[in-house]
């Protein structure tokens, strides 16, 4: 999936501004699919408009600049349906926390404990986002997607809570080697 398809997916459900699309992608119910910045969303919207996939209109606001609101066209809906018929790309899971865990032996135990605590808080926040965000989505598959995400995150959280002690035992075990290297310099 690319940013263009993501924009069509969002616009298929509701008219939106580029800012609203970015909010949905960064911390809303579309945040679990792909990353998209303003620098990729606005060019995608402009290209979609040039290609006749979306239209836009200016919406006046009291005391604020006008908003540019995008709407999907019938051509855009067909394009989106065509994109849905293509095989999905392989899922990519990236986790800065897992890099810390992999290097636990080089970390000070207190730093690792803080990293684990932070990861637990963030996973719980993601679970809360899923639980609250699914109510805002008017798509029949949203509940299934929420349950899938909840299952993945819940199992990860359960593993982290049950096995954190194993990782914490590793913390700092190679710090002496690292201290020796820095002392030698």
């Amino acid at each position: 999936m690319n940013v263009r398809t993501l924009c069509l997916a969002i616009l298929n459900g509701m008219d939106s501004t580029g800012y609203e699309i970015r909010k949905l992608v960064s911390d809303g119910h579309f945040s679990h699919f792909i990353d998209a910045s303003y620098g990729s969303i606005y060019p995608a919207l402009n290209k979609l408009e040039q290609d006749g996939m979306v239209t836009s209109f200016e919406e006046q606001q009291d005391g604020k600049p006008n908003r540019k609101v995008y709407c999907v066209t019938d051509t855009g809906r067909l394009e989106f349906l065509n994109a849905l018929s293509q095989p999905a790309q392989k899922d990519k899971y990236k986790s800065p926390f897992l890099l810390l865990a992999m290097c636990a032996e080089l970390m000070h135990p207190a730093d690792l404990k803080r990293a684990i605590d932070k990861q637990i808080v963030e996973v719980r926040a993601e679970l809360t986002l899923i639980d609250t965000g699914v109510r805002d989505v008017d798509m029949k598959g949203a509940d299934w997607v929420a349950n899938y995400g909840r299952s993945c995150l819940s199992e990860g959280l359960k593993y982290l809570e049950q096995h954190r002690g194993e990782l914490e035992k590793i913390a700092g075990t190679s710090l002496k080697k690292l201290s020796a290297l820095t002392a030698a310099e």
Side-chain angles (χ1 to χ4, degrees):
M1 177 172 296
N2 56 34
V3 175
R4 178 182 172 103
T5 303
L6 184 64
C7 288
L8 287 173
I10 293 168
L11 293 171
N12 194 59
M14 67 185 124
D15 297 346
S16 300
T17 64
Y19 174 80
E20 291 166 337
I21 291 171
R22 173 67 175 130
K23 288 291 288 175
L24 289 168
V25 170
S26 63
D27 56 8
H29 48 269
F30 283 86
S31 64
H32 302 281
F33 306 120
I34 66 169
D35 291 326
S37 65
Y38 288 118
S40 61
I41 291 170
Y42 283 107
L45 289 170
N46 288 334
K47 181 73 170 122
L48 285 167
E49 192 166 24
Q50 289 172 4
D51 294 345
M53 306 290 169
V54 301
T55 59
S56 66
F57 64 91
E58 294 283 323
E59 182 178 271
Q60 293 185 354
Q61 303 182 98
D62 292 331
K64 296 179 184 177
N66 293 345
R67 299 174 357 135
K68 187 172 186 178
V69 180
Y70 294 90
C71 313
V72 69
T73 64
D74 289 341
T75 305
R77 281 188 182 83
L78 290 173
E79 174 77 13
F80 178 58
L81 291 175
N82 183 49
L84 290 176
S85 70
Q86 304 304 312
Q89 297 169 338
K90 180 183 173 194
D91 287 347
K92 297 176 186 175
Y93 181 77
K94 308 286 185 203
S95 170
F97 169 75
L98 289 180
L99 178 61
L100 296 179
M102 190 169 73
C103 300
E105 67 192 59
L106 299 171
M107 293 182 68
H108 189 279
D111 292 337
L112 181 63
K113 182 183 180 326
R114 273 193 304 277
I116 293 170
D117 291 341
K118 181 178 180 276
Q119 183 69 8
I120 288 171
V121 167
E122 289 176 358
V123 171
R124 286 183 179 151
E126 284 293 313
L127 285 165
T128 300
L129 176 65
I130 288 172
D131 290 338
T132 57
V134 74
R135 291 182 228 131
D136 300 334
V137 181
D138 188 25
M139 296 176 147
K140 293 180 180 172
D143 285 336
W144 188 94
V145 170
N147 288 334
Y148 179 83
R150 191 179 299 108
S151 176
C152 293
L153 289 170
S154 294
E155 285 302 311
L157 180 61
K158 180 176 149 184
Y159 184 86
L160 185 55
E161 290 173 338
Q162 290 178 353
H163 298 275
R164 73 180 290 164
E166 298 166 22
L167 192 58
E168 289 172 336
K169 285 180 187 174
I170 299 169
T173 57
S174 293
L175 275 178
K176 290 178 185 170
K177 291 180 197 174
L178 191 58
S179 296
L181 287 174
T182 55
E185 291 180 355

